[in-house]
Amino acid sequence: MALVAAPAPAVADVLVPNAPDTNGIRAIGKGIKEIGAESLLVLNYSKEGSASSVRTTNITGVSFRYFIINNLNLELNASYFYKGDNAVARQGGLVTLGGNYLINIGRGLFLNPGIAGGGFYGKQPIKDAPPGTPSLTLVGGAARLGFGLSFYASPKFNLFARPEAVLFIGKVGQGSTETSLLNIDGGFNVGMNYVF
């Protein structure tokens, strides 16, 4: 009789594959996968003397995440980047592999620090060059660092937003025209993911 009257043990609110949580998500279990889209946008306006310019940096891509243990995932990201400065715009691709650790601060709400490394490849037109002039090649390594929030609105969907910095280290051009490249973009990365 005492066993029947005793309260049932609390069920851990861990989201696991094929067994969606119904009471409020407190942890993301091993084996959960996510696929989603994200975008980081940076706008920069500058004026020197009578000359002014607006530069935009947009890094937009898709990510796949797999939780290797509770709350820790590996992430593969493939993105397109656009860095515009008047008539000259750098464009290319960026691929990174990294990880994120989720720290629960409420039902479905997590702090989301992450770090990743990889590489990039792109092209940059030569300013005021005659038509048909080949663009310069951009190539090198990249690193990403971010810290923000993830919110699991349901067992199948989450949103995230975080300040993020993207570091590009490499070279522009080839041969005698080759120069080193060091570029840091900082902005607010936002995205949404499907969870399965």
Side-chain angles (χ1 to χ4, degrees), residues 37-138:
E38 59 187 59
S39 183
L40 183 145
L41 177 64
V42 179
L43 293 175
N44 176 269
Y45 172 80
S46 66
K47 184 171 184 179
E48 296 180 19
S50 60
S52 63
S53 66
V54 175
R55 181 182 178 195
T56 62
T57 296
N58 186 17
I59 302 172
T60 301
V62 294
S63 290
F64 174 77
R65 297 177 190 89
Y66 178 78
F67 283 81
I68 55 174
I69 61 173
N70 284 8
N71 292 342
L72 176 65
N73 66 51
L74 288 179
E75 175 185 32
L76 178 64
N77 177 278
S79 296
Y80 163 79
F81 67 82
Y82 175 91
K83 300 171 180 288
D85 188 359
N86 293 338
V88 178
R90 295 176 170 176
Q91 302 180 63
L94 168 68
V95 177
T96 57
L97 178 65
N100 302 280
Y101 186 74
L102 278 64
I103 303 163
N104 183 252
I105 56 174
R107 289 190 177 269
L109 187 62
F110 297 83
L111 292 175
N112 183 17
I115 189 168
F120 69 92
Y121 179 84
K123 295 287 186 177
Q124 174 186 315
I126 300 172
K127 192 172 185 178
D128 301 324
T133 303
S135 297
L136 298 174
T137 299
L138 311 168

